[in-house]
Amino acid sequence: TELGTATTAFGTAREICIFTQSGTHLAVDVLGVFMPDAPIAPLAPNRLLETRADVGQIGYAGARPVAGQVVEIDVVGRSAGAVTPDARAVVLSVTATNPVAAGFVTVWPCGAPRPRASSLNLSGPCDTQSNAVVVGLGTNGRVCVFTQSGTALIADLNGAFP
């Protein structure tokens, strides 16, 4: 059983769409709603980071991130104008998959000290975990991702706080 969270906008008929790559049972709980006058700008999901070479890397080039590595995501530059330079924070769906060992991933604004907290936790090899993360934008509109153990990283943009 896997648990994840996501922040998304309603469609025109106030619905959401869910895609699954393979057949499975799904349970969806609504944990909250941003009011129309809230300062969040929900966005259609946009992949900003993909480190897996076999899938096609996005916003990254090189071998799979290793233990202790920090990967920087250029949020403002890669979002095709969806996130403006004056945005304060973004909503990301961050996924770690196929780690070499148990560990954690931390997401924070680049230029700030890395917090002593995890954004998601990995139980061991072949694990896949994802989580919704609200994170401030750091230096030059970038977000940093630290992996304690070597793992593939994926990040999708779901919203911004102008």
Side-chain angles (χ1 to χ4, degrees), residues 95-119:
T95 303
T97 187
N98 293 322
V100 297
F104 63 88
V105 171
T106 300
V107 182
W108 79 101
C110 290
R114 178 170 53 94
R116 299 189 70 175
S118 65
S119 300

Side-chain angles (χ1 to χ4, degrees), residues 35-128:
M35 299 310 293
D37 59 348
I40 188 171
L43 303 167
N46 179 17
R47 181 133 312 157
L48 300 181
L49 176 69
E50 171 63 78
T51 65
R52 297 174 293 178
D54 61 328
V55 175
Q57 293 179 327
I58 298 171
Y60 180 86
R64 177 172 74 169
V66 298
Q69 186 171 344
V70 174
V71 175
E72 292 190 15
I73 303 172
D74 181 5
V75 176
V76 173
R78 292 208 40 83
S79 67
V83 179
T84 59
D86 63 340
R88 296 206 258 157
V90 292
V91 180
L92 299 175
S93 174
V94 178
T95 303
T97 187
N98 293 322
V100 297
F104 63 88
V105 171
T106 300
V107 182
W108 79 101
C110 290
R114 178 170 53 94
R116 299 189 70 175
S118 65
S119 300
L120 58 94
N121 298 298
L122 299 159
S123 62
C126 300
D127 191 15
T128 297

